[in-house]
Amino acid sequence: MTATPDLGAARPASSDLLRSTFRRHAAGVAVITARGASGPVGFTATSLTSVSADPPLVSFGIGTGASSWPAVAEADHVGVHILGEHQSELAATFARSGADRFGAPTGWREGPEGVPVLDDVLAWLVCRIVGRVPAGDHRIVLAEVVLGDPSGAGRPLLYHQGRFNGLRD
């Protein structure tokens, strides 16, 4: 059952309104990785979207102030990793500023096109970046799928109300 909207409680547009609204939107959790000049980089993303099946395209957002942005801005390829509900600590590590994201206990290897590929994920893709679209303080990265593996076992990790959660039946 849903409540009837109270139009008198409406607030003007602001970054706080947007954040408060999207905390109520459950989203799948992904980690995006790239090879940087100083080594691998990566970040947790809940903005991953399937854009097109033919050609196979995905998109994700990244803040221009993010530590991973300089590498993603220059990269030709990125890794896209769909996390399982058993990976909330990994998601938190890649979301935390200043964390050693590729140190122990993170399991990973260098994959095709030099992209860091994370271990034990539900699915992973290597994608060729085809566009970076300015969008406020972010860039929307458009990437074409080159190859991947969707055969990992488990259930997806979700992000809702500021926390990582498992999928409930």
Coordinates of all heavy atoms in Angstrom, one line a residue, residues 29-34 45 48-49 58-60 77-83 115-118 121-127 143 145 147-149:
V29 N 24.7 -3.2 -6.6 CA 26.0 -2.6 -6.3 C 27.0 -3.2 -7.3 O 27.1 -4.4 -7.4 CB 26.4 -2.9 -4.9 CG1 27.7 -2.3 -4.5 CG2 25.3 -2.4 -3.9
A30 N 27.8 -2.3 -7.9 CA 28.9 -2.7 -8.8 C 30.2 -2.0 -8.3 O 30.1 -1.0 -7.6 CB 28.5 -2.3 -10.2
V31 N 31.3 -2.6 -8.7 CA 32.6 -2.0 -8.6 C 33.1 -1.8 -10.0 O 33.2 -2.7 -10.8 CB 33.6 -2.8 -7.7 CG1 35.0 -2.2 -7.8 CG2 33.1 -2.7 -6.2
I32 N 33.5 -0.6 -10.3 CA 34.2 -0.2 -11.5 C 35.7 -0.1 -11.3 O 36.1 0.5 -10.3 CB 33.6 1.1 -12.1 CG1 32.1 1.2 -12.1 CG2 34.2 1.5 -13.4 CD1 31.4 0.2 -12.9
T33 N 36.5 -0.7 -12.2 CA 37.9 -0.7 -12.0 C 38.5 -0.2 -13.3 O 38.0 -0.3 -14.4 CB 38.5 -2.1 -11.7 OG1 38.2 -3.0 -12.7 CG2 37.9 -2.6 -10.4
A34 N 39.7 0.3 -13.2 CA 40.5 0.7 -14.4 C 42.0 0.6 -14.0 O 42.4 0.6 -12.8 CB 40.2 2.2 -14.8
A45 N 29.9 1.7 -7.3 CA 28.9 2.4 -8.1 C 27.5 1.8 -8.0 O 27.4 0.6 -8.0 CB 29.3 2.4 -9.6
L48 N 25.1 2.0 -12.2 CA 25.3 1.2 -13.4 C 24.0 0.9 -14.1 O 23.0 0.6 -13.4 CB 25.9 -0.1 -13.0 CG 26.2 -1.1 -14.1 CD1 27.3 -0.6 -15.1 CD2 26.6 -2.5 -13.6
T49 N 24.0 1.1 -15.4 CA 22.8 1.0 -16.2 C 23.1 0.2 -17.5 O 24.1 0.6 -18.1 CB 22.1 2.3 -16.5 OG1 21.9 3.0 -15.3 CG2 20.8 2.2 -17.3
V58 N 26.8 -0.1 -21.6 CA 26.5 0.2 -20.2 C 26.9 1.6 -20.0 O 27.7 2.2 -20.7 CB 27.1 -0.8 -19.2 CG1 26.7 -2.2 -19.5 CG2 28.6 -0.6 -19.2
S59 N 26.3 2.2 -18.9 CA 26.8 3.5 -18.4 C 26.9 3.5 -16.9 O 26.2 2.7 -16.2 CB 25.8 4.6 -18.9 OG 24.6 4.5 -18.2
F60 N 27.7 4.4 -16.4 CA 27.8 4.6 -14.9 C 28.2 6.1 -14.7 O 28.8 6.7 -15.6 CB 28.7 3.6 -14.3 CG 30.2 3.7 -14.8 CD1 31.1 4.6 -14.3 CD2 30.5 2.9 -15.9 CE1 32.4 4.7 -14.8 CE2 31.8 2.9 -16.4 CZ 32.8 3.8 -15.9
H77 N 39.7 1.3 -21.3 CA 38.8 0.2 -20.9 C 38.6 0.3 -19.4 O 39.4 0.8 -18.7 CB 39.5 -1.2 -21.2 CG 39.5 -1.4 -22.7 ND1 40.6 -0.9 -23.5 CD2 38.7 -2.1 -23.5 CE1 40.4 -1.3 -24.7 NE2 39.3 -2.0 -24.8
V78 N 37.4 -0.3 -19.0 CA 37.1 -0.4 -17.5 C 36.6 -1.8 -17.3 O 36.1 -2.5 -18.2 CB 36.1 0.6 -17.1 CG1 36.6 2.0 -17.1 CG2 34.8 0.5 -17.9
G79 N 36.7 -2.2 -16.0 CA 36.0 -3.4 -15.6 C 34.8 -3.1 -14.8 O 34.7 -2.1 -14.1
V80 N 33.7 -3.9 -15.1 CA 32.4 -3.7 -14.4 C 32.2 -5.0 -13.6 O 32.2 -6.1 -14.2 CB 31.3 -3.4 -15.4 CG1 30.0 -3.3 -14.7 CG2 31.6 -2.1 -16.1
H81 N 32.0 -4.9 -12.3 CA 31.8 -6.1 -11.5 C 30.5 -6.0 -10.7 O 30.3 -5.0 -10.0 CB 33.0 -6.2 -10.5 CG 34.3 -6.1 -11.1 ND1 34.9 -4.9 -11.5 CD2 35.1 -7.1 -11.5 CE1 36.0 -5.2 -12.1 NE2 36.2 -6.5 -12.1
I82 N 29.6 -7.0 -10.9 CA 28.4 -7.1 -10.1 C 28.6 -7.8 -8.8 O 29.1 -9.0 -8.9 CB 27.3 -7.8 -10.9 CG1 27.1 -7.1 -12.3 CG2 26.0 -7.8 -10.1 CD1 26.7 -5.7 -12.3
L83 N 28.4 -7.2 -7.7 CA 28.7 -7.8 -6.4 C 27.6 -8.7 -5.9 O 26.4 -8.4 -6.1 CB 29.1 -6.7 -5.4 CG 30.3 -5.8 -5.7 CD1 30.6 -5.0 -4.5 CD2 31.5 -6.6 -6.2
V115 N 42.8 -4.5 -17.5 CA 41.8 -4.1 -16.5 C 41.9 -5.0 -15.3 O 41.9 -6.2 -15.4 CB 40.4 -4.2 -17.2 CG1 39.3 -4.0 -16.2 CG2 40.3 -3.1 -18.3
P116 N 41.8 -4.4 -14.1 CA 41.8 -5.2 -12.9 C 40.4 -5.9 -12.8 O 39.4 -5.3 -12.9 CB 41.9 -4.2 -11.7 CG 42.4 -2.9 -12.4 CD 42.0 -3.0 -13.8
V117 N 40.5 -7.3 -12.7 CA 39.2 -8.1 -12.6 C 39.2 -8.6 -11.1 O 40.1 -9.3 -10.7 CB 39.2 -9.2 -13.6 CG1 38.0 -10.1 -13.4 CG2 39.2 -8.6 -15.0
L118 N 38.1 -8.4 -10.4 CA 37.9 -8.8 -9.1 C 37.5 -10.3 -9.0 O 36.7 -10.7 -9.9 CB 36.9 -7.9 -8.4 CG 37.2 -6.4 -8.3 CD1 36.0 -5.7 -7.7 CD2 38.5 -6.2 -7.5
V121 N 33.0 -12.5 -7.9 CA 31.9 -11.6 -8.1 C 30.8 -12.4 -8.9 O 31.0 -13.5 -9.4 CB 32.2 -10.3 -8.9 CG1 33.2 -9.5 -8.1 CG2 32.9 -10.7 -10.3
L122 N 29.6 -11.9 -8.9 CA 28.5 -12.6 -9.6 C 28.7 -12.5 -11.1 O 28.3 -13.5 -11.8 CB 27.1 -11.9 -9.3 CG 26.7 -12.0 -7.8 CD1 25.2 -11.5 -7.7 CD2 26.8 -13.4 -7.3
A123 N 29.2 -11.4 -11.6 CA 29.4 -11.3 -13.0 C 30.5 -10.1 -13.2 O 30.6 -9.3 -12.4 CB 28.2 -10.9 -13.7
W124 N 31.2 -10.2 -14.3 CA 32.1 -9.1 -14.6 C 32.2 -8.9 -16.1 O 31.9 -9.8 -16.9 CB 33.6 -9.4 -14.1 CG 34.2 -10.6 -14.6 CD1 34.2 -11.9 -14.0 CD2 35.0 -10.7 -15.8 NE1 34.9 -12.7 -14.8 CE2 35.4 -12.1 -15.9 CE3 35.4 -9.8 -16.8 CZ2 36.3 -12.5 -16.9 CZ3 36.2 -10.3 -17.8 CH2 36.6 -11.6 -17.9
L125 N 32.5 -7.7 -16.5 CA 32.6 -7.3 -17.9 C 33.9 -6.5 -18.1 O 34.3 -5.7 -17.2 CB 31.4 -6.4 -18.3 CG 30.0 -7.0 -18.2 CD1 29.0 -5.8 -18.4 CD2 29.8 -8.1 -19.2
V126 N 34.5 -6.6 -19.2 CA 35.5 -5.6 -19.6 C 34.8 -4.8 -20.7 O 34.3 -5.4 -21.7 CB 36.8 -6.3 -20.1 CG1 37.7 -5.3 -20.8 CG2 37.5 -7.0 -18.9
C127 N 34.9 -3.5 -20.6 CA 34.2 -2.6 -21.5 C 35.2 -1.5 -22.1 O 36.0 -1.0 -21.3 CB 33.1 -1.9 -20.8 SG 31.9 -3.0 -20.0
A143 N 30.1 2.9 -22.1 CA 31.1 1.9 -22.4 C 30.5 0.7 -23.1 O 29.4 0.2 -22.7 CB 31.8 1.4 -21.1
V145 N 30.6 -3.2 -24.1 CA 31.0 -4.5 -23.6 C 31.9 -5.2 -24.6 O 31.5 -5.3 -25.8 CB 29.8 -5.4 -23.2 CG1 30.3 -6.8 -22.7 CG2 29.0 -4.7 -22.2
L147 N 33.9 -8.2 -23.4 CA 33.8 -9.6 -23.0 C 33.5 -9.6 -21.5 O 33.5 -8.6 -20.9 CB 35.1 -10.4 -23.3 CG 36.4 -9.9 -22.7 CD1 36.6 -10.6 -21.3 CD2 37.5 -10.2 -23.6
G148 N 33.1 -10.8 -21.0 CA 32.8 -10.9 -19.6 C 32.4 -12.3 -19.2 O 32.5 -13.3 -20.1
D149 N 32.0 -12.5 -18.0 CA 31.6 -13.8 -17.5 C 30.4 -13.5 -16.4 O 30.7 -13.0 -15.4 CB 32.7 -14.4 -16.8 CG 32.4 -15.8 -16.2 OD1 31.2 -16.3 -16.3 OD2 33.3 -16.4 -15.7

